[in-house]
Amino acid sequence: MEPSQDPAAPATAALPARGTVFHLACGFMAAQAVASAARLRVMDRIGDGEMTADALAEECGADAQAMLRLLRALAALDLLAESGPGRFSLAAGGSLLRADRPGSLHAFVLMLTDPALTRAWEHLEESVRTGRPAFDGVFGTDFFTYVGENPELSARFNTAMSDITRATAEGLPEQYDFGRFRAVVDVGGGDGTLLAGILRAYPALRGTVFDTREGLAQAEETLRRAGVGERCSVESGDFFAAVPGGGDLYLLKSVLHDWDDDRAASILGHCRRAVPDHGRLLIIEPVLPATVDSSVPPLMYLNDLNMLVNLGGRERTRAEFTDLCARAGFTLTSVRPLWPPNEFSLIEAAPAPLGEGTAR
């Protein structure tokens, strides 16, 4: 029989694809296993050594057999290593879930797997049909209002954003010449982690971190610990109403993707009114290719859907950033990827004359 006539051939050829589909469909199980480990502080308890499943179960107040099964699932996911039956130590990925280590993703995992972010995903189909965030219908308000009204969730969100910004804060000063400027305003700058990294590297630079009152809750302490508190002011407000003046560089990291084009253009329009003609706008966000390719990981497209479902925002291509900046009175001057494996790009824009396309 010719190979093409073998009835088993199509099924055999489809096996890798079937495995891919099964892996993707079961992704929520892996996410919940990792989240449970984070909530139980499994990685912190194991630490630099090794522990048995029985000992971990006793410390966590858990069932010993169920704990063993969780730990073996985590080992299969390359977060733990099982050196002998029931004995576990941390793998490299598991170390990132220790809450007591620099660069930890512990708060990020807790935030991303919180019902506040996962419940609306059950209504992805609705968001695809309507183009609107499902979050508002599920929780009765928008995402940021909900977070602001829940202090524990707000603190977790701030910590998660700080943790995932820290690597950018450490490397960005070497990737961009901030020495050209006198004062930088970090719009939506949260706890000041990014701006603190910039100011440490440029002692002559002054700064302002601007965000909501809830977003700024830890900012003064972050700036103080970084030794830049005397060169940086903290201002609260609403970037849909105005942004502080006085800067010649306006910085937005992971802000515009939270919002649809109209709201993003509004933020940029307020920045345009504040930035002097010789100043610059620096946006730090992922930039999607014009068509799907291997230049960005699949996670970027999933995060694009997350923006849709939970916030009504979106990730954007270079052309979309160009149009958005032009609408707000800026001319895009350059787009440059940051160092790998960082998934952000530096998007620089210069002011166009006020009145030419500026968002009102």
Side-chain angles (χ1 to χ4, degrees):
M1 179 180 290
E2 295 293 329
S4 61
Q5 297 175 315
D6 182 356
T12 302
L15 285 177
R18 288 173 62 85
T20 297
V21 172
F22 274 110
H23 178 77
L24 294 173
C26 293
F28 78 98
M29 300 180 190
Q32 290 303 319
V34 175
S36 294
R39 288 192 291 267
L40 290 167
R41 299 266 179 160
V42 166
M43 280 62 178
D44 291 284
R45 297 177 194 277
I46 294 175
D48 295 323
E50 189 176 72
M51 284 188 73
T52 66
D54 287 346
L56 278 166
E58 184 174 353
E59 284 200 13
C60 295
D63 177 83
Q65 183 64 27
M67 175 61 75
L68 176 62
R69 294 162 69 178
L70 173 62
L71 297 176
R72 285 184 165 164
L74 296 170
L77 294 170
D78 294 325
L79 297 176
L80 300 178
E82 188 175 16
S83 61
R87 300 193 63 85
F88 296 89
S89 60
L90 300 185
S95 295
L96 292 173
L97 292 174
R98 289 184 63 173
D100 62 346
R101 290 295 177 90
S104 171
L105 294 176
H106 181 267
F108 176 74
V109 166
L110 291 180
M111 183 66 203
L112 201 64
T113 57
D114 191 281
L117 270 81
T118 61
R119 280 183 57 193
W121 268 90
E122 299 173 11
H123 304 272
L124 172 61
E125 180 183 350
E126 175 188 337
S127 286
V128 170
R129 291 183 183 276
T130 65
R132 295 191 295 270
F135 185 98
D136 301 31
V138 172
F139 291 94
T141 188
D142 66 272
F143 176 80
F144 286 110
T145 299
Y146 182 85
V147 171
E149 293 174 349
N150 292 269
E152 183 177 349
L153 184 62
S154 180
R156 181 177 295 168
F157 180 83
N158 290 345
T159 300
M161 295 303 100
S162 177
D163 287 347
I164 63 176
T165 298
R166 192 165 289 112
T168 303
E170 292 172 356
L172 180 61
E174 299 177 2
Q175 300 283 315
Y176 186 79
D177 181 15
F178 291 92
R180 296 179 290 154
F181 304 100
R182 177 185 56 83
V184 56
V185 178
D186 189 357
V187 178
D191 77 341
T193 293
L194 182 62
L195 188 53
I198 295 169
L199 295 180
R200 276 199 307 267
Y202 290 86
L205 190 65
R206 300 191 66 83
T208 299
V209 58
F210 176 71
D211 210 318
T212 62
R213 179 178 55 82
E214 295 83 7
L216 293 169
Q218 290 82 36
E220 290 187 355
E221 176 61 18
T222 298
L223 296 167
R224 185 195 64 77
R225 288 200 312 267
V228 299
E230 294 183 357
R231 289 189 286 126
C232 189
S233 62
V234 175
E235 295 191 32
S236 64
D238 177 5
F239 50 39
F240 291 115
V243 302
D248 51 356
L249 175 66
Y250 280 73
L251 173 66
L252 297 101
K253 179 189 178 295
S254 300
V255 171
L256 298 182
H257 75 165
D258 290 341
W259 309 100
D260 62 29
D261 286 350
D262 288 343
R263 302 279 271 172
S266 175
I267 297 168
L268 290 178
H270 290 302
C271 291
R272 176 61 191 97
R273 294 180 183 87
V275 68
D277 290 343
H278 65 277
R280 288 294 184 270
L281 171 74
L282 188 63
I283 301 167
I284 303 175
E285 292 204 3
V287 176
L288 298 178
T291 59
V292 176
D293 58 31
S294 60
S295 63
V296 298
L299 176 61
M300 288 298 97
Y301 294 95
L302 294 176
N303 197 53
D304 184 35
L305 290 177
N306 188 53
M307 295 297 106
L308 167 64
V309 167
N310 281 311
L311 291 94
R314 59 181 301 190
E315 306 293 358
R316 295 177 171 90
T317 65
R318 177 173 181 148
E320 289 165 339
F321 276 114
T322 298
D323 292 344
L324 187 63
C325 285
R327 180 177 170 183
F330 287 98
T331 300
L332 200 77
T333 57
S334 67
V335 177
R336 179 163 53 88
L338 288 175
W339 63 96
N342 198 303
E343 292 154 353
F344 294 99
S345 289
L346 294 179
I347 305 163
E348 187 185 63
L354 279 173
E356 295 186 11
T358 306
R360 297 296 176 183

